[in-house]
Amino acid sequence: PHIELSAEDVALPDGRVVEGYFQLNSRPSCAVVASVPDGRLIMVRQYKHGARKVCLTFPGGRKEAGEDLFETAQRELQEETGYAAQAWTPLGEFAIHANQHMGVCGLFRAKDAVRVAEPNAGDLEDMQIVLVSVADARAALASGEIGLLGDACALGLALSLAP
């Protein structure tokens, strides 16, 4: 229910046609670089099977029917962490893979988040919500603890476009 495989004929800019080029697609998703009023970032520490290790990640997830990606970002931040924010900046929507597409990920920056509820992530297990300084997030990126490309990009964009 999460992934669709298709094949298409692709017309390249130089006129050549690649027949039967496979594409993987999934529902659009998002990631949220959120911070509390003192500037610390809200992150989640948990096992991620794609990376095959415990990683520091940003809250996020897949779009549900009837939502736009901003609504998804707001919902995911509150579900996973119990935090909500009023100040939001969209950082862009990006194809996940250069050639296979793999879906679109919307990245967002949220500031001055406050705890409004208990986390209710439902399907997630063994997750720890942590507040991390920007310096510690940069160190986690350098050490590989931020081990997913989407989270690395989200951090870089958030710090350069909406500090």
Side-chain angles (χ1 to χ4, degrees), residues 28-114:
S29 61
C30 69
V32 181
V33 180
S35 58
V36 296
D38 70 8
R40 289 178 296 162
L41 303 175
I42 303 165
M43 300 191 76
V44 178
R45 182 176 284 119
Q46 72 180 122
Y47 177 77
K48 291 295 186 179
H49 192 63
R52 307 298 200 266
K53 64 181 182 177
V54 173
C55 296
L56 266 180
T57 67
F58 291 105
R62 298 206 183 279
K63 181 177 160 184
E64 297 293 340
E67 289 180 330
D68 62 33
L69 277 176
F70 177 60
E71 292 167 327
T72 302
Q74 292 176 308
R75 176 181 53 76
E76 289 288 347
L77 176 62
Q78 187 167 336
E79 279 181 3
E80 290 188 8
T81 69
Y83 283 84
Q86 295 299 314
W88 289 80
T89 302
L91 301 174
E93 293 181 17
F94 303 91
I96 295 172
H97 189 277
N99 291 313
Q100 270 67 48
H101 187 66
M102 303 289 287
V104 172
C105 185
L107 304 177
F108 296 87
R109 177 73 166 102
K111 291 184 178 179
D112 297 325
V114 294

Side-chain angles (χ1 to χ4, degrees), residues 2 19-20 26 28 40 46-47 50 74 81 90 94 112 114-115 120 123 126 145 153 155 163:
H2 300 287
E19 295 180 4
S26 64
R40 289 178 296 162
Q46 72 180 122
Y47 177 77
Q74 292 176 308
T81 69
F94 303 91
D112 297 325
V114 294
R115 189 82 178 264
N120 184 18
D123 62 339
D126 260 353
E145 188 177 9
C153 291
L155 178 62

Side-chain angles (χ1 to χ4, degrees), residues 126-145:
D126 260 353
M127 60 184 280
Q128 177 188 14
I129 299 162
V130 293
L131 299 179
V132 178
S133 71
V134 169
D136 286 345
R138 289 178 193 267
L141 180 61
S143 73
E145 188 177 9

